[in-house]
């Protein structure tokens, strides 16, 4: 065995600090993932435990790749950051990080430049670098998971807004007066109609009207509703049609405001694309300016679970001075 070539150390560390899993990867400047590692996110209450776990994952990735130096790191946080992207403002699933100065703490531990980014913002960057929006300058990325996240790229750059909290596409209002209450305090947010949580809630609400549905007597999950839809279950098809309709209204609003080239729909619920695409497109055509809808391409995401990690890697690479 020869020693790894020196250029093999030309890698950044990208990590996605999810509520359940902590995933890390080493990524080169071309967007190739060289190695990755996944473990449980520590449930302990201190920020120190989270930092230790991030260091462990980075060390494991370096061990697998046989290198002892990294260029930079970017850590994705499921929450909001301050305007300087140094402090976690609020991470509902990792409350020990609330108001914690995570960036300086990680830089002290890693000894390399460390960036922090919101996970949905990074997914938008990843899809624009290597996925469905490759090469586009103005991109909206909507991530349909347990909640609904979003990221906006304008003129090729991530748009963070004045205080670093822009792009919360899941909390745009679609039904202000009759819509269900959202945990953000608003009513009728997109998240209340297009998330995995919403799919389960809406299916339960309609179950009594569909006595023949194969979803009767099952412990509902969004994935089960999707499987039932693929088998032609009328209740499941109706639910996905509603998901698409609300999503389409939300996308139409965003198209009229921002005039993007590409709208990417990702996250676990986007697996149901074939079941919600028609009702989504129908609403977009009905509501957005025809001059804009002719120019925009609405697509499912392509990077899957790796969108965030790739976005993190791209942000890390572009933060470094070019050699
Ligand atoms: Zn909301």
């Amino acid at each position: 065995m020869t020693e790894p070539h020196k250029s093999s150390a030309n890698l950044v560390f990208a990590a996605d600090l999810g509520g359940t899993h902590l995933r890390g990867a080493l990524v080169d400047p071309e967007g190739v993932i060289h190695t990755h590692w996944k473990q449980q996110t520590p449930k302990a209450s201190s920020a120190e435990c989270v930092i230790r776990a991030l260091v462990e994952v980075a060390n494991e990735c370096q061990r697998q790749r046989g290198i002892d130096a990294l260029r930079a790191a970017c850590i994705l946080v499921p929450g909001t950051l301050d305007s300087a992207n140094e402090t976690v403002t609020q991470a509902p699933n990792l409350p020990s990080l609330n108001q914690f100065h995570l960036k300086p703490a990680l830089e002290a531990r890693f000894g390399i430049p460390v960036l922090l980014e919101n996970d949905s913002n990074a997914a938008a960057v990843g899809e624009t670098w290597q996925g469905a929006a490759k090469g586009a300058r103005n991109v909206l990325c909507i991530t349909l998971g347990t909640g609904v996240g979003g990221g906006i790229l304008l003129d090729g750059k991530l748009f963070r807004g004045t205080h670093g909290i822009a792009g919360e596409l899941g909390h745009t209002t679609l039904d202000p007066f009759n819509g269900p209450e959202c945990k953000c305090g608003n009513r009728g947010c997109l998240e209340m109609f297009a998330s995995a949580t919403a799919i389960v809630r809406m299916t339960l609400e309609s179950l009594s009207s569909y006595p023949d549905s194969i979803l009767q007597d099952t412990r509902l999950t969004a994935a089960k509703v999707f499987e039932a839809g693929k088998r032609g279950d009328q209740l499941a098809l109706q639910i996905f049609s509603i998901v698409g309709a609300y999503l389409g209204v939300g996308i139409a609003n965003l198209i009229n405001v921002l005039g993007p080239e590409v709208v990417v729909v990702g996250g676990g619920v986007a697996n149901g694309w074939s079941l919600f695409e028609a009702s989504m497109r129908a609403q977009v055509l009905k509501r957005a300016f025809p001059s804009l809808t002719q120019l925009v391409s609405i697509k499912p995401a392509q990077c899957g679970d790796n969108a965030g990690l790739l976005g993190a890697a791209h942000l890390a690479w572009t933060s470094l001075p070019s050699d």
Side-chain angles (χ1 to χ4, degrees), residues 3-252:
E3 285 293 306
H5 188 266
K6 189 164 174 279
S7 67
S8 68
N10 202 25
L11 296 167
V12 293
F13 176 59
D16 190 352
L17 197 49
T20 310
H21 289 117
L22 164 53
R23 300 165 65 233
L26 301 186
V27 186
D28 74 16
E30 274 72 51
V32 177
I33 294 176
H34 285 241
T35 185
H36 56 87
W37 182 254
K38 178 166 118 175
Q39 65 185 45
Q40 297 284 317
T41 302
K43 290 287 167 242
S45 53
S46 78
E48 176 55 30
C49 292
V50 175
I51 292 172
R52 211 179 301 140
L54 283 164
V55 172
E56 268 170 33
V57 171
N59 286 344
E60 177 58 30
C61 287
Q62 285 179 266
R63 193 192 60 73
Q64 286 179 16
R65 193 67 183 84
I67 59 168
D68 57 8
L70 295 166
R71 298 288 307 277
C74 179
I75 313 299
L76 303 182
V77 179
T80 51
L81 301 165
D82 70 331
S83 54
N85 276 27
E86 293 200 352
T87 302
V88 177
T89 317
Q90 208 181 13
N93 293 320
L94 292 168
S96 65
L97 295 181
N98 289 347
Q99 301 303 324
F100 185 75
H101 303 302
L102 187 58
K103 178 185 159 94
L106 287 171
E107 288 192 326
R109 199 64 70 86
F110 279 103
I112 51 174
V114 178
L115 305 180
L116 303 183
E117 190 51 76
N118 165 272
D119 51 2
S120 301
N121 278 352
V125 174
E127 288 290 340
T128 306
W129 189 31
Q130 298 291 336
K134 203 166 182 174
R137 304 282 296 165
N138 296 300
V139 177
L140 296 178
C141 185
I142 304 177
T143 307
L144 311 177
T146 311
V148 173
I152 301 170
L153 272 87
L154 295 179
D155 204 18
K157 285 177 65 178
L158 194 53
F159 179 71
R160 294 189 175 90
T162 312
H163 306 290
I165 317 177
E168 288 294 342
L169 307 182
H171 299 281
T172 49
T173 307
L174 297 187
D175 187 354
F177 305 116
N178 300 311
E181 245 176 76
C182 181
K183 63 180 187 297
C184 75
N186 187 20
R187 226 172 230 290
C189 292
L190 174 59
E191 179 166 304
M192 301 314 291
F193 302 105
S195 60
T197 317
I199 288 173
V200 171
R201 190 199 77 245
M202 293 190 296
T203 306
L204 280 172
E205 286 169 359
S206 298
L207 213 48
S208 62
S209 307
Y210 292 82
D212 298 333
S213 169
I214 57 175
L215 292 165
Q216 299 284 353
D217 305 320
T218 58
R219 220 174 134 258
L220 285 176
T221 61
K224 280 186 189 164
V225 181
F226 171 55
E227 288 304 321
K230 281 201 299 189
R231 291 164 60 187
D233 184 81
Q234 288 304 306
L235 169 57
L237 291 173
Q238 172 64 12
I239 296 300
F240 272 96
S241 170
I242 293 169
V243 169
Y246 278 101
L247 184 60
V249 174
I251 289 174

